Amino acid sequence: MIDIDFSVFTFLYVSSGMAVIFGLWLYYDRRDVRLYERIRVRHTFHCIQCGSLYSDRGRREVSRCPQCGFQNAKLKF
Ligand SMILES: [Zn+2]
């Protein structure tokens, strides 16, 4: 059997628990970023045909106007 000091065992036990918690934290954080990024990101569009101002979700460069259906590019500031 392997003889290790109690302080070494305690250090390994605590550090392995912290590594598991840190790994779970990283996994769930990355998962939430992927899942909710589409919902969080909103872009503003200005219709050049009817003049309405509207917003749309997602990472798209072009969106259809809800008033007239014209395709508009997103506003850049
Ligand atoms: Zn329009």
Side-chain angles (χ1 to χ4, degrees):
M1 180 146 181
I2 302 171
D3 280 336
I4 56 172
D5 194 26
F6 180 73
S7 61
V8 173
F9 173 75
T10 304
F11 173 75
L12 290 175
Y13 185 74
V14 170
S15 61
S16 65
M18 289 176 68
V20 168
I21 290 172
F22 185 71
L24 288 173
W25 173 62
L26 275 179
Y27 169 74
Y28 283 108
D29 185 60
R30 295 289 93 201
R31 188 193 69 165
D32 286 350
V33 165
R34 275 193 320 259
L35 285 176
Y36 299 112
E37 182 174 310
R38 188 185 292 176
I39 296 171
R40 282 191 293 244
V41 174
R42 296 186 73 113
H43 291 291
T44 305
F45 296 89
H46 178 246
C47 183
I48 58 174
Q49 191 170 19
C50 70
S52 72
L53 199 62
Y54 61 98
S55 65
D56 201 359
R57 290 190 167 136
R59 293 194 174 275
R60 53 179 77 162
E61 295 293 318
V62 176
S63 176
R64 185 174 302 276
C65 176
Q67 305 269 330
C68 66
F70 190 77
Q71 293 277 354
N72 297 291
K74 74 176 182 181
L75 289 177
K76 294 178 180 163
F77 299 100

